[in-house]
Amino acid sequence: MSVDFLIVQFLGGLASASSLFLVAAGLSIIFGVTRVVNFAHGTLFMIGAYLAYTLAETLGLGFWPALLLAPLAVGGLGALIEIGLLRRIYRAPELFQLVATFALVLIAGDVVPMIWGPEDLLGPRAPGLGGAVSVMGRAVPEYDLFLIALGPLVLGALWLVFTRTRWGLLVRAATEDREMVAALGTDQRWLFTGVFALGALLAGLGGALALPREAIGHGMDAGVIVQAFVVVVVGGMGSVPGAYLAAVLLGLVNAFGVAFFPQGTLVTMGLVMGAVLIVRPRGLLGRIESEGGVSAVGPGPRLRPASGKGRLLWGLGVVLVLAAPRFLDAYGLSLLCEALILALSASALQLLMGTGGMVSFGHGAFFGLGAYGTAVAVVQGGLSLPIALACALLAGGLGGLLVGGLISRLSGVYLAMLTLAFAEIIHALAIQAVGVTGGDNGLIGVWPPPWAGDPAVFAWLVMAICLPALFGLRVLALGEFGRRLRALRDARSRAEASGIAAARLHALTFAIVGAGAGLAGGLFAFLKGSVFPAITALPTSVDALVMVLLGGLHALAGPLVGAFLYLGLESVVAARTDLWQLVVGLVVLGLVLVFPQGVAGAAGRLARRGRPQ
């Protein structure tokens, strides 16, 4: 590699880093003050790009006026989201706001193509910056140099706002101790609104700046949100300088990774994030969170075995499920099997989050490992169904044990992001390990053997596996194992002082959760007949999170209710309209506002009111 080539790669990495920093800085500011894990931040980035295109091309204002106006409009939209939605659910568990922002992503998935069309759009060049500068005989775009200079300028402007203005001082104080700021008389509502608007403005600015560099499409939000999360966590949650440092680091790693390791570029980001979090659990410039992830999950109600009436209802439900193959057609049986499989995966996640207080953004990795374990065993090994499912159980369990062994120094959102890093690595390997996984072509022909080929027989097979597994997870949560996990969740120092080995118990929990999700993934592979890399991507993890939180984080029946409700809603709406994401998103938003503790959680609260304590 020549020196001139390395310099060009270096400059290209810095330009990409500046663009990514703008998005990540907004996400970091929002989380640092409001503690909202904003999955809609990528959507705000996308809307900023579309608005800039409309202002510049459709309305003919030109690129530079659009670059100023589009971020302001996105900032106003962010303020409306905070006032109209998030402000109403701040009292709910903090992760429940994730469901609300995910619903916004669903809504935008249909609204954006309705407004701007499904085709990708090509924006204008930046006037005055359309040429290139020669650097050691190689051409470097002038616009890239502009972006390189813009990043530090925005960083400096944010530093001035947060250190030289009263509003900035209040924001910094709220990042340290929100309760004390409120006690001193500051109206946190408008502080949060301003912070969310500023974060949205930065996301919109990042989207508008992308106009001359890439095509604008309605799927661009998914890629940028993962990268922004990685930057924020590597830099340290809530640290704007940390976000800039991490963006530069990851931009350069990616730029040189493309040059030296083109087959491993997709794995690089996950490896960097995992390595940083293992060495510095709070990120490069972040602060250590409260112990055990309590701030993210919080203590839940006392778990009790079902009452006599509850056991009767559970028994009736099992009987109805077992009898379903007698009166459902093949499509109905497919939906029932999928709901049971997803309920098993979500129930495993609920054991980790609700009982253990450990948040995971990478649950889809265990589900995907199980699916690929089964697919490889069947397609490439020609193994039988029981052995293939055993491979799924083993693959998911080993993945969980690996993650569980690395989490001893992590808690809260940093732990969640380590699981995301693991999921990104698995997703990248699924794409690039073509010899094993088939790459983008996937593995096809993962069908059950002839004796289980009938839809009714396969449904009973799924029931015979999922129902005992669900019961086993419930027994774990209610028994001594669950009580130890809840002790660590609610008061880790006291629990460890009483003799509970936190690291060992958490590693075992991750292994159990991974095995449960892996088994579900193996059954899912047989249900669909094929496995593709998308099964390990972020949406799979988010779907599981939504099911748990929609049903109720601290309700043992929550994952079942959430899985059946979410999948049933999606299937019914998708069969009746092409705008199913819009309808499902609106319904999920309504459920979030009406049942801030989850549907099953609200039902359990009502039941406890009439029960003697």
Side-chain angles (χ1 to χ4, degrees):
M1 295 290 179
S2 61
V3 175
D4 57 332
F5 176 81
L6 295 178
I7 291 176
V8 169
Q9 289 296 109
F10 178 79
L11 294 176
L14 288 181
S16 299
S18 290
S19 299
L20 187 55
F21 161 67
L22 295 175
V23 185
L27 186 63
S28 184
I29 292 168
I30 289 173
F31 180 84
V33 177
T34 67
R35 290 298 188 267
V36 172
V37 181
N38 181 22
F39 264 96
H41 202 68
T43 300
L44 296 172
F45 167 86
M46 176 178 64
I47 291 175
Y50 272 110
L51 286 178
Y53 176 87
T54 300
L55 292 168
E57 294 288 279
T58 306
L59 300 181
L61 297 182
F63 174 76
W64 295 113
L67 184 63
L68 295 176
L69 295 176
L72 293 175
V74 176
L77 176 61
L80 292 177
I81 291 173
E82 197 280 335
I83 294 171
L85 175 61
L86 297 176
R87 184 178 292 185
R88 301 173 184 271
I89 56 174
Y90 278 133
R91 294 184 180 274
E94 289 179 351
L95 278 177
F96 206 72
Q97 294 140 19
L98 178 151
V99 182
T101 58
F102 175 70
L104 295 178
V105 174
L106 287 178
I107 293 170
D110 277 338
V111 171
V112 168
M114 285 171 57
I115 297 175
W116 285 284
E119 299 86 6
D120 288 352
L121 303 175
L122 294 176
R125 297 281 185 181
L129 297 176
V133 175
S134 178
V135 177
M136 297 187 68
R138 290 182 178 263
V140 176
E142 293 176 341
Y143 190 72
D144 281 5
L145 298 178
F146 165 73
L147 290 177
I148 293 173
L150 183 63
L153 289 176
V154 173
L155 175 62
L158 291 174
W159 179 82
L160 289 175
V161 168
F162 289 131
T163 59
R164 295 294 186 267
T165 68
R166 184 176 182 275
W167 183 83
L169 293 175
L170 289 175
V171 169
R172 290 169 59 202
T175 304
E176 297 290 337
D177 193 333
R178 289 185 292 173
E179 289 74 15
M180 182 59 69
V181 172
L184 293 175
T186 300
D187 190 344
Q188 290 193 67
R189 295 177 303 172
W190 295 111
L191 186 64
F192 285 10
T193 300
V195 165
F196 206 92
L198 176 60
L201 184 149
L202 290 171
L205 178 59
L209 287 168
L211 208 58
R213 302 188 82 208
E214 60 184 275
I216 308 303
H218 58 83
M220 63 190 302
D221 56 336
V224 76
I225 187 62
V226 174
Q227 296 180 51
F229 271 131
V230 172
V231 169
V232 168
V233 173
V234 170
M237 299 297 287
S239 172
V240 176
Y244 182 77
L245 183 60
V248 171
L249 172 64
L250 291 167
L252 294 178
V253 167
N254 187 60
F256 287 105
V258 171
F260 293 103
F261 307 104
Q263 297 301 317
T265 52
L266 296 177
V267 186
T268 304
M269 191 168 286
L271 288 175
V272 170
M273 179 165 65
V276 169
L277 290 181
I278 291 171
V279 176
R280 292 186 62 83
R282 65 184 185 276
L284 296 175
L285 299 179
R287 295 180 179 274
I288 297 177
E289 289 188 325
S290 58
E291 63 170 22
V294 175
S295 63
V297 175
R302 179 183 175 186
L303 295 180
R304 301 180 180 182
S307 62
K309 184 184 296 185
R311 287 193 292 270
L312 180 62
L313 290 175
W314 278 110
L316 180 61
V318 171
V319 170
L320 289 175
V321 169
L322 292 174
R326 297 293 186 185
F327 54 84
L328 288 180
D329 59 12
Y331 178 69
L333 287 175
S334 176
L335 285 180
L336 176 62
C337 289
E338 187 170 352
L340 286 171
I341 290 169
L342 294 179
L344 173 57
S345 176
S347 294
L349 181 59
Q350 196 272 343
L351 177 68
L352 185 72
M353 290 176 55
T355 306
M358 295 175 284
V359 183
S360 173
F361 288 170
H363 192 66
F366 308 134
F367 189 84
L369 282 172
Y372 271 108
T374 289
V376 171
V378 172
V379 175
Q380 299 188 8
L383 301 178
S384 63
L385 183 145
I387 298 178
L389 290 179
C391 291
L393 193 76
L394 182 63
L398 289 176
L401 188 62
L402 175 62
V403 174
L406 298 175
I407 66 167
S408 59
R409 299 175 62 200
L410 298 175
S411 63
V413 75
Y414 291 98
L415 185 152
M417 288 303 174
L418 178 61
T419 64
L420 176 60
F422 178 73
E424 285 300 298
I425 294 171
I426 297 300
H427 179 57
L429 291 174
I431 295 174
Q432 296 189 324
V434 179
V436 178
T437 66
D440 288 327
N441 295 323
L443 294 174
I444 302 173
V446 194
W447 299 112
W451 62 265
D454 182 82
V457 176
F458 184 75
W460 277 317
L461 174 66
V462 171
M463 295 174 198
I465 295 173
C466 288
L467 292 178
L470 288 168
F471 181 74
L473 290 171
R474 182 181 179 88
V475 170
L476 282 176
L478 289 171
E480 179 66 22
F481 184 85
R483 286 192 290 272
R484 287 173 174 267
L485 275 180
R486 291 192 294 276
L488 287 172
R489 178 196 69 188
D490 298 339
R492 177 165 180 158
S493 298
R494 293 182 182 180
E496 289 181 318
S498 68
I500 297 177
R504 185 183 306 169
L505 186 61
H506 284 166
L508 178 60
T509 303
F510 262 98
I512 293 171
V513 168
L519 179 60
L523 289 170
F524 192 80
F526 277 118
L527 176 66
K528 298 300 183 180
S530 58
V531 178
F532 295 95
I535 200 172
T536 61
L538 180 62
T540 302
S541 300
V542 175
D543 283 346
L545 275 167
V546 170
M547 291 173 192
V548 172
L549 297 172
L550 195 59
L553 179 61
H554 295 296
L556 291 179
L560 272 171
V561 174
F564 275 81
L565 178 62
Y566 185 69
L567 181 63
L569 180 63
E570 179 181 309
S571 302
V572 170
V573 175
R576 288 166 171 76
T577 176
D578 292 334
L579 302 177
W580 68 269
Q581 292 186 97
L582 173 61
V583 177
V584 171
L586 290 173
V587 173
V588 170
L589 276 185
L591 291 173
V592 166
L593 294 174
V594 176
F595 303 110
Q597 302 295 328
V599 176
R605 175 175 292 185
L606 288 175
R608 285 192 297 271
R609 286 181 179 178
R611 186 185 303 174
Q613 300 297 318

